């Protein structure tokens, strides 16, 4: 069986887990948790991919972009969905250990099929990492149900949710570098795809931090609007210094629609889930 079908199978499995969790718990905050888990995983995934820990080989996109597609299926779909399922059904540690063991087995099996390749990474690292991740997920889920959690937690959730939405939109539009890449000659990375992954992640992190500050703190309206100027200025920087490398007839100003759309979706999601963390009023 082609590796593509195995990876698509993970997407289907993740949707089944997510739908079952929502049907059982009927709490839309599970979607916030799902997105938060992706953003929690993402920096670790970037480090492992950049240091040649492993490579995904799903056969979905051409060349290096295929690695990003495999990573996205793992980080955005199946792993967060499993954490959401565990939280929705309040599963005990016995079941949590079973989930970690299952994904350790899938990790090993995919390597045996040749659709996922290890270098310095080991399958056991996957199991250990998931146990830690599920513990953090339980903490996030608990705090999401507090009537007024600490400010730092609220800002963290805004960041996690926004960053995931922004990343999903960027991946769907760019498809691993088909519209644009990001490069910087002064960086020591030899492989352009890894450099692009690092730079896009840094760019998205700066935009996310700007959105978090503007939406999550008590600020007068005029200061909130400064966030737009910061994002426009950031896009000028990546164009001026040649960091933004278009692969089509676009400029970095075209991708400003991504944070705009992600911000709108963030507000809609928080309204639906009654996560009242945005735009606290100044007194």
């Amino acid at each position: 069986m082609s590796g593509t079908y195995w990876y698509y199978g993970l997407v289907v499995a993740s949707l089944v887990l997510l739908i079952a969790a929502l049907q059982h718990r009927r709490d839309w905050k599970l979607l916030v948790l799902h997105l938060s888990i992706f953003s929690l995983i993402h920096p670790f995934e970037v480090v492992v991919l950049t240091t040649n820990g492993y490579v995904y080989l799903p056969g979905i996109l051409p060349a290096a972009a295929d690695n990003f597609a495999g990573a996205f299926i793992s980080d955005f779909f199946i792993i967060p969905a499993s954490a959401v399922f565990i939280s929705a059904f309040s599963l005990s540690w016995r079941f949590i250990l079973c989930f970690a063991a299952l994904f350790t087995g899938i990790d090993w099996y995919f390597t045996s099929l040749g659709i996922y390749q290890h270098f310095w990474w080991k399958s056991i690292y996957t199991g250990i990492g998931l146990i830690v991740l599920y513990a953090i997920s339980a903490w996030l889920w608990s705090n999401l149900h507090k009537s007024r959690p600490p400010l730092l937690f609220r800002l963290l959730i805004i960041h996690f949710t926004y960053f995931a939405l922004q990343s999903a939109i960027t991946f769907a539009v760019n498809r691993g570098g088909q519209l644009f890449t990001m490069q910087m000659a002064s960086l020591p990375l030899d492989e352009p795809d890894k450099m692009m992954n690092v730079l896009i992640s840094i760019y998205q992190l700066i935009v996310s931090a700007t959105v978090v500050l503007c939406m999550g703190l008590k600020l007068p309206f005029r200061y909130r609007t400064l966030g737009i100027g910061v994002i426009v200025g950031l896009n000028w920087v990546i164009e001026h210094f040649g960091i933004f490398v278009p692969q089509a007839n676009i400029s970095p100003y075209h991708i400003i629609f991504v944070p705009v759309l992600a911000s709108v979706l963030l507000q809609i999601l928080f309204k639906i889930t009654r996560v009242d963390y945005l735009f606290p009023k100044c007194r």
Side-chain angles (χ1 to χ4, degrees):
M1 183 184 292
S2 168
T4 304
Y5 295 110
W6 285 105
Y7 279 88
Y8 283 153
L10 291 179
V11 174
V12 173
S14 69
L15 294 176
V16 170
L17 289 174
L18 184 59
I19 291 170
L22 289 169
Q23 184 71 21
H24 173 75
R25 186 80 182 203
R26 298 189 181 279
D27 188 343
W28 291 100
K29 288 186 178 70
L30 289 168
L31 295 179
V32 175
L33 179 64
H34 186 103
L35 295 173
S36 296
I37 295 300
F38 165 80
S39 296
L40 191 62
I41 297 171
H42 182 77
F44 296 98
E45 183 77 273
V46 170
V47 170
V48 175
L49 290 177
T50 303
T51 58
N52 295 315
Y54 48 64
V55 61
Y56 295 94
L57 302 165
I60 296 172
L61 294 177
D66 201 39
N67 189 23
F68 301 142
F72 197 78
I73 289 173
S74 173
D75 301 345
F76 193 83
F77 287 99
I78 190 62
I79 298 302
S82 67
V84 165
F85 186 86
I86 288 169
S87 293
F89 286 88
S90 302
L91 297 181
S92 67
W93 274 102
R94 179 175 60 183
F95 289 100
I96 290 173
L97 292 174
C98 287
F99 265 96
L102 173 63
F103 281 110
T104 300
I106 292 174
D107 183 290
W108 171 83
Y109 187 59
F110 273 35
T111 60
S112 68
L113 291 177
I115 58 176
Y116 173 66
Q117 185 177 0
H118 287 169
F119 296 103
W120 61 261
W121 188 263
K122 306 294 182 184
S123 294
I124 189 64
Y125 300 165
T126 298
I128 295 171
L130 284 174
I131 292 172
V132 175
L133 180 68
Y134 291 147
I136 297 173
S137 174
W139 176 80
L140 291 173
W141 183 238
S142 174
N143 278 274
L144 274 170
H145 286 86
K146 291 183 177 179
S147 58
R148 197 61 180 171
L151 174 61
L152 183 59
F153 178 82
R154 299 198 301 270
L155 295 178
L156 195 65
I157 290 298
I158 296 171
H159 161 66
F160 281 162
T161 310
Y162 172 83
F163 187 88
L165 291 170
Q166 177 184 232
S167 297
I169 297 169
T170 301
F171 182 82
V173 171
N174 197 29
R175 292 174 60 83
Q178 293 189 14
L179 284 183
F180 68 89
T181 64
M182 289 190 184
Q183 302 296 328
M184 184 178 286
S186 60
L187 288 181
L189 293 175
D190 295 328
E191 300 179 52
D193 59 301
K194 293 178 181 178
M195 185 185 298
M196 179 185 73
N197 195 18
V198 170
L199 290 173
I200 289 181
S201 296
I202 293 173
Y203 169 84
Q204 291 180 334
L205 183 61
I206 295 172
V207 174
S208 181
T210 303
V211 170
V212 168
L213 294 176
C214 292
M215 288 188 173
L217 295 180
K218 292 182 179 179
L219 297 173
F221 178 76
R222 62 182 179 276
Y223 292 126
R224 296 190 194 279
T225 58
L226 287 176
I228 300 173
V230 171
I231 294 173
V232 171
L234 178 61
N235 282 268
W236 177 86
V237 168
I238 62 175
E239 179 182 47
H240 181 76
F241 291 97
I243 298 172
F244 183 88
V245 183
Q247 305 298 307
N249 187 25
I250 64 170
S251 78
Y253 299 104
H254 286 103
I255 65 173
I256 291 178
F257 88 92
V258 173
V260 171
L261 179 57
S263 297
V264 171
L265 292 176
L266 175 71
Q267 294 176 65
I268 293 172
L269 179 60
F270 275 21
K271 185 173 183 179
I272 292 172
T273 57
R274 298 181 180 178
V275 176
D276 187 20
Y277 296 171
L278 300 178
F279 303 117
K281 295 180 180 179
C282 292
R283 294 182 180 178

